Each structure stands twice: as C-alpha cells, then as structure tokens.
Amino acid sequence: MAKAARTTRSLLFVSVLIPLLATLGADGVGGGSSRCPLVPSMTAQSACSAVSGTRHMRELCLRTLRSGAGAAVLPVTRHAATAVRGALDSYAATVAAATSLLDGGAVPADAEKAAFGDCMVGYGRARGAMSRVADDLAAGGCGDGAAGLKAGYTAGLRGMDGCRRGLLNYPASPLYARNLADRNMTLLAALLCSLVPAPPSA
Ligand SMILES: *[C@@H]1O[C@H](CO)[C@@H](O)[C@H](O)[C@H]1NC(C)=O
C-alpha cells in the first residue's frame, strides 16, 4: 500500500509537476506572454572555442571575455553582453579618434571629410543597434529575443560595413584600420549572441 502511494506520488510528479515547472520556466521571467530560452552556461574558453573559426578570432574572444569572467561558468547571455559592451566601447573610442582627427585639421580634403562623416553615420547606427542587443541580452533573450538579437547585430555589422565602404579610397587613414578592428569586435559579439537559443515555441 505504501509502495503504491509512493508510485502514485511519483506519477503525479512526472505527469503534473514537471510540465507545470516547464511552463513556469518558459513563462516566468518578464511575466505574461514573454517566452524565455533555457540559456546554457559555459566558461569563456568554451564559448570562444564554440564560436571562433580562426585563431585571430579566438584570441580576440579570449582577450575580451576572460578579463571579466576568468574561468567562471556563466550564462552565454553574459558572455555575449561582455562582447557587446566591448564593441560599444570600441565604437566610442573610434568616434573620439575621428573627431579629434577632424578637429585637429588632420583631414584637409573635403572628400575625405565627407567619408569620415558617412563613417560616423554608420557608427551611430551600429551604436543604436548594439545598445538594443545589450538590452535584449540583459532581459535574458526572452520574448522575441533571438530574432531581436539577430536583427540587432546584423544592423551593427551593416553600420561597420557602411563606414568601410566610404573609406575604401582612404586605406591609409587611421580610421580604416580602427574600423576593421571594430568590425571584428562586432562580429565576435554576433557570434556569441548566436549561442543564445531561441525561446521555446508556444
Ligand atoms: C579581423 O579578423 C580577421 C579574421 O579573424 C583577421 O584576419 C584580421 O587581422 C582582423 N583585423 C583586425 C584589424 O583586427
């Protein structure tokens, strides 16, 4: 009899509580209609190995993530957020450098000045898009997070590419080299965002 009762309790647990917990897990954060993915956790090293196709990217990844995380096992949203912050910081440094080149009279030609201007437009767009990615990551990739993340980092990459197109005639410009580095940081952030799974459907 006791054994039967235990079995009944086990069945109850399996058939009722687990689905209930799964529902709570999927719907819990953010309340109401938002759905949240089950975000995997890993070390910076594992995240970097998972996303990096080249040695250069892997080193950039480790440099970017390890300074904050060390060997800690963290949700991939945290690793992605670190890279997004790194990209935003590097955009800010590039915009500051471009501004001081312009203000210091280091860009005398009008056409090159115009290219700098177009580049700054691209950076403005990338900054807006990647700031939204940062917000989505802070929300744990819930709701339309995965699609939102993708739209955001795609726009970030487009902003970087827009800058480069304008600078193609000025490959010796310090801005050109900085833009390539910033694009790599943006790509790193995008790759790490791709580790965030889509929320479960329905
Ligand atoms: C950007 O990344 C590519 C490939 O990962 C690398 O070959 C290139 O040197 C990097 N450029 C800069 C400026 O960091």
Side-chain angles (χ1 to χ4, degrees):
M1 206 59 217
K3 189 168 177 228
R6 258 202 314 278
T7 305
T8 308
R9 262 204 310 278
S10 303
L11 281 176
L12 179 73
F13 183 70
V14 169
S15 63
V16 177
L17 288 178
I18 288 180
L20 180 65
L21 289 173
T23 308
L24 287 175
D27 276 344
V29 184
S33 61
S34 71
R35 293 171 285 107
C36 300
L38 205 57
V39 175
S41 291
M42 57 183 80
T43 60
Q45 185 150 9
S46 303
C48 290
S49 296
V51 301
S52 305
T54 65
R55 188 197 168 102
H56 178 274
M57 190 51 87
R58 187 158 185 280
E59 278 164 7
L60 176 64
C61 183
L62 289 173
R63 238 186 355 260
T64 305
L65 297 190
R66 269 218 188 121
S67 53
V73 174
L74 297 174
V76 293
T77 42
R78 288 272 302 276
H79 290 309
T82 301
V84 169
R85 232 176 5 256
L88 286 167
D89 288 349
S90 119
Y91 301 165
T94 295
V95 170
T99 305
S100 83
L101 285 170
L102 286 170
D103 290 352
V107 190
D110 282 347
E112 189 173 355
K113 271 191 196 129
F116 267 53
D118 290 345
C119 177
M120 293 300 102
V121 172
Y123 270 73
R125 293 201 175 124
R127 190 189 52 201
M130 294 302 273
S131 303
R132 285 192 297 279
V133 170
D135 292 344
D136 285 352
L137 288 169
C142 300
D144 70 345
L149 289 177
K150 186 162 187 202
Y153 64 65
T154 302
L157 288 167
R158 264 206 307 273
M160 292 295 104
D161 291 342
C163 168
R164 187 170 72 252
R165 267 196 305 280
L167 290 174
L168 282 177
N169 290 329
Y170 309 98
S173 165
L175 200 51
Y176 189 85
R178 296 194 73 118
N179 173 242
L180 288 182
D182 293 345
R183 194 200 193 268
N184 279 358
M185 272 303 289
T186 310
L187 180 59
L188 172 64
L191 291 167
L192 288 165
C193 282
S194 74
L195 293 175
V196 180
S201 47

